[in-house]
């Protein structure tokens, strides 16, 4: 399996038969307003360009997976791209109606804790809580995905979430071979963080049975945690070896671990 990190939470998962595009934010730098104005510098989003080496694989995408509808996970350019190519979309049962209303080709809506057929394997919706305390409610529904495909490592896309019992269950009981954590510690001008604190990121990686990928950093203006800060902390904790912190555009290769 090859995973290419684009920017923020956007990536492709390339298997023997498919190229799955996850949470596409593919527009040019600065095409969206800032997400915070006071707590962090009010730069327009995305704050970095999409790397050129990400563009060729977009032509080979066979399916798109969407965890939720925030614009840093599905921007206007991505919507236009998905419509133009008529790319099949798998999403949460709670987002199906809205995505269809936008004219997108939703072929599968996944429910929480229900395992269903997916590209010759299985996919299951995992609850996610987008923030600590009150902010989780206005942040809206989010779905993580646990994916098992034939002859490929199992993948847990935890999406935009804090550390929850549901997440802990997946890491400790399902034992995914690749676990993806949104590690930017996003925060609005008010309220508690929208994503895991650094302490909870450390807990997530400690409880990850095999490999972790940390993403959602240095691409939108409300995410203060940087790659170098996270590397420093994980090195101190002895967790850097099991964690990939990809640069934008980086391709990572993974083999099945659990059954090898």
């Amino acid at each position: 399996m090859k995973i290419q990190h684009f920017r923020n939470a956007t990536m492709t998962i390339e298997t023997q038969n498919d190229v799955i595009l996850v949470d596409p934010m593919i527009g040019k730098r600065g095409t969206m307003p800032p997400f915070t104005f006071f707590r962090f510098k009010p730069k327009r989003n995305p704050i970095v360009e999409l790397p050129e080496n990400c563009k060729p694989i977009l032509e080979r995408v066979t399916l798109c997976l969407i965890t939720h509808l925030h614009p840093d996970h599905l921007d206007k350019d991505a919507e236009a791209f998905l419509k133009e190519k008529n790319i099949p979309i798998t999403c949460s049962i709670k987002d199906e109606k809205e995505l269809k209303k936008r004219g997108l080709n939703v072929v599968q809506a996944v429910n929480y804790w229900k395992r269903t057929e997916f590209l010759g394997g299985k996919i299951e919706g995992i609850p996610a809580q987008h923030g600590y305390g009150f902010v989780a409610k206005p942040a809206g529904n989010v779905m993580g995905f646990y994916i098992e495909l034939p002859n490929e490592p199992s993948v847990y896309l935890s999406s935009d979430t804090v550390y929850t019992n549901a997440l802990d269950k997946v890491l400790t009981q399902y034992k995914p071979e690749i676990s993806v954590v949104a590690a930017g510690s996003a925060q609005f001008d008010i309220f508690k963080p929208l994503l895991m604190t650094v302490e909870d990121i450390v807990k997530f990686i400690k409880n990850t049975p095999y490999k972790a990928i940390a993403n959602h950093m240095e691409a939108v203006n409300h995410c203060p945690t940087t790659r170098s800060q996270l590397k420093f902390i994980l090195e101190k904790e002895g967790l850097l070896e099991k964690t990939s912190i990809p640069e934008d555009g980086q391709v990572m290769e993974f083999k099945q671990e659990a059954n090898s």
Side-chain angles (χ1 to χ4, degrees), residues 4-256:
Q4 182 165 10
H5 171 69
F6 279 37
R7 174 180 64 182
N8 200 48
T10 308
M11 63 169 82
T12 47
I13 301 170
E14 188 174 357
T15 66
Q16 287 172 336
N17 303 316
D18 286 282
V19 175
I20 305 162
L21 175 64
V22 179
D23 283 355
M25 176 178 70
I26 59 173
K28 288 189 178 301
R29 185 174 73 178
T31 47
M32 291 187 280
F35 296 141
T36 67
F37 292 87
F38 310 111
R39 193 187 289 272
F40 308 116
K41 201 174 173 186
K43 296 177 183 170
R44 287 185 66 82
N45 290 305
I47 59 174
V48 291
E49 288 290 6
L50 189 69
E52 283 299 318
N53 74 327
C54 294
K55 293 172 183 174
I57 200 167
L58 286 172
E59 298 306 313
R60 299 196 287 117
V61 167
T62 55
L63 182 131
C64 181
L65 195 55
I66 296 171
T67 65
H68 64 300
L69 303 183
H70 287 173
D72 61 327
H73 292 253
L74 178 67
D75 64 5
K76 293 291 179 200
D77 287 77
E79 282 189 37
F81 166 77
L82 294 169
K83 274 197 272 199
E84 185 198 332
K85 303 274 186 189
N86 199 33
I87 288 170
I89 290 167
T90 295
C91 66
S92 158
I93 199 161
K94 291 190 173 181
D95 293 330
E96 178 183 18
K97 196 173 165 187
E98 174 60 26
L99 288 171
K100 282 183 171 174
K101 202 168 99 182
R102 295 185 195 182
L104 297 174
N105 179 23
V106 178
V107 295
Q108 182 178 25
V110 180
N111 211 339
Y112 293 99
W113 298 123
K114 292 276 192 300
R115 205 165 280 203
T116 51
E117 299 293 320
F118 180 71
L119 302 178
K122 302 282 183 190
I123 190 168
E124 181 173 343
I126 309 298
Q129 182 185 315
H130 202 334
Y132 295 91
F134 172 76
V135 74
K137 198 160 185 159
N141 63 279
V142 183
M143 180 177 275
F145 295 106
Y146 175 72
I147 302 164
E148 288 180 339
L149 297 174
N151 308 311
E152 301 286 358
S154 53
V155 179
Y156 174 35
L157 301 169
S158 64
S159 188
D160 282 12
T161 187
V162 298
Y163 201 100
T164 63
N165 290 336
L167 183 151
D168 191 76
K169 176 184 169 179
V170 176
L171 292 181
T172 56
Q173 293 180 30
Y174 292 17
K175 299 193 183 302
E177 291 159 272
I178 303 163
S179 304
V180 182
V181 58
S185 313
Q187 206 163 354
F188 288 143
D189 285 326
I190 52 172
F191 304 125
K192 291 180 179 177
L194 291 153
L195 298 175
M196 284 180 222
T197 59
V198 171
E199 293 75 21
D200 277 345
I201 295 164
V202 167
K203 184 179 175 183
F204 180 103
I205 293 166
K206 268 187 181 157
N207 291 335
T208 294
Y210 297 100
K211 290 281 185 188
I213 297 174
N215 68 4
H216 214 307
M217 286 179 284
E218 299 182 57
V220 283
N221 89 301
H222 66 326
C223 287
T225 302
T226 65
R227 291 176 174 96
S228 56
Q229 285 169 341
L230 188 60
K231 275 178 190 166
F232 178 76
I233 290 157
L234 294 181
E235 198 153 30
K236 232 167 42 175
E237 296 283 343
L239 296 170
L240 195 54
E241 207 170 289
K242 72 190 292 196
T243 312
S244 293
I245 307 174
E247 296 298 323
D248 292 349
Q250 186 176 329
V251 179
M252 299 159 280
E253 293 205 37
F254 297 91
K255 290 187 170 71
Q256 275 188 297

